Amino acid sequence: MKALMKMTAVEMKLFFRDPQSLFWTFLFPFITIYLLGFLFGGSQVGNVAYKQLLIPNMMALTLTSTSLFILGMRIVNYKESGLLRTYQITPLGAGRMIGAFCIMGLVVFLFSMLIAYLSGWLLYGIRTPVHIIGFWGATLLCTLGMFPLGILLTGFSSTMEGAAGIGTLALNVQLLLSGGVIPYQLLPLPLPLKILAKCLPLHYVNDLLTAEWTGQSVNFLSLDVGILAGMAVLFSVLSIRFFRWS
Amino acid sequence: MEPVIQVKNLSKKFSNVLAVKNISFSVHSGEVFGIIGPNGAGKTTTIEIIEGLQVQTRGSVQVLGLDPKKNVSKIREQIGVMFQHTELQRKIKVWEAVDLFSNFYSHNISVEDALHRLNLEPYRNHYFSQLSGGWKQKVLLTLATLHAPKILFLDEPSAGLDPNSRRDLWHLILLLRDQGTTIILTTHYMEEAERLCDRIALINHGKLVGLDTPESLIAHLTKEKSLIIQGESIDLTELKALPSVMKAVPSKEMIRLTVTDFQKASFEVFSLATRLNWKIDDFRYDRGTLDDLFAQLSTEKEGML
């Protein structure tokens, strides 16, 4: 436990020492919320105002990008520099290493979301989630599913270039098909792509977060929860099992 | 001395390539044991099997009485490894790195003691990226040794260092040896191997081709004994005619004599010089070095030794 906590603390410090990280954590959510609200703030999605979907959609986008670009690429960077091999030869172990990164990612993600929410509240009067407890549970579940997946996917590469390619592909495919910035309900997708979209993790993340935030009734909420819980277990096991130190 | 590492009939196959072929050796407690050989000789694979990073195809390995295949966690509490070309996070401070690594081990480790041991206190608040190559290596050595490992593996520890930093590092390595740490060293700097190693295993084409002290290896494996002579009015033809001289080759202002016996050849050369009034300015034995041996190994084809 002490190794996990110490590594989490060190990674947090290192994250906030990087000016680029500060931009993506603090400024990017504000800019994005401002722009999306400015452009589409008056739209309706079904019987829900688009601005009420801004935060859950932004969360889905941030979860995916955090998992791929903050966690996954950071680990690949350490792999490339030989640091992971130095960790490997200690009693640390892949589970604690991934655990520390996921906790760090969760803290960074919550910071971002706090900024996003405060921006949305101040600029557009966005309300708090309708189901507060359900929303926090959904956030945790989505985090547990998405973070190990990002680490697993980018971990197939041993270079930053390769990881960036994997990350960009995984992010854009999911954003285009499953929403994230534009709600997937608004995307004019042909049937085969709609089916494909339902196979992507982000679809369920979006679905669940939106439902808990807006209080919309969702017919398949238990399916979303089941799939995300399954993802959390499966991707956690796979990311540890196939973790490559070098 | 008791063996802390025992390797018996070790082989490792990668698809169709046999990278390590039936290697056996043991490493004694408290010695500096060098493993040298050309690139691709199989030394890294051998070491990684001992460290528990790879699994052998055949043979057995015991590290501190434990099998790395079955007891890798216990072994990692008792060994330290300093890999070649390793970087820490650019913006981690020296004390933070030491503090982080000290938390990986089950027993309590004092960060202050660790910093003090290798004189890192003045750099404790420096970012890793701000350190020179020599200080980076010292930090990495500190991280590899802060849990007082019984065995320390050093992979090319002084690669890329200037001569002063290299000598500093050698001093620290010998200090660790004197404190009872067994050290396994791989290096391409033959001077480093000669200076530091008590014994050396030579690996080539996956086979162990020599295992002895550096001096004995040079004596047994370098095939030629040479004398270097320099002076005025030396006659090459007269030198070639001496009974103990096999070959005499001029090289710049010197002459290199390949001889059968140092003592006899020296006596014959000085007798001849006295008789013919040669003025000898320089006279040296050249028994070869590990460099010569390494070069010889690198050019030899499989099965020649």
Side-chain angles (χ1 to χ4, degrees), chain B residues 110-121:
Chain B
S110 161
V111 173
E112 295 310 318
D113 286 353
L115 290 170
H116 176 71
R117 204 165 47 243
L118 296 191
N119 303 320
L120 287 170
E121 289 110 328

Side-chain angles (χ1 to χ4, degrees), chain B residues 230-249:
Chain B
Q230 184 182 352
E232 291 170 16
S233 61
I234 294 175
D235 185 342
L236 197 63
T237 319
E238 294 279 356
L239 282 174
K240 280 181 179 170
L242 292 173
S244 300
V245 173
M246 296 155 64
K247 208 163 54 174
V249 180

Side-chain angles (χ1 to χ4, degrees), chain A residues 189-202:
Chain A
L189 297 174
L191 186 63
L193 287 182
K194 278 190 176 168
I195 294 170
L196 177 62
K198 289 209 168 188
C199 300
L200 298 173
L202 192 63

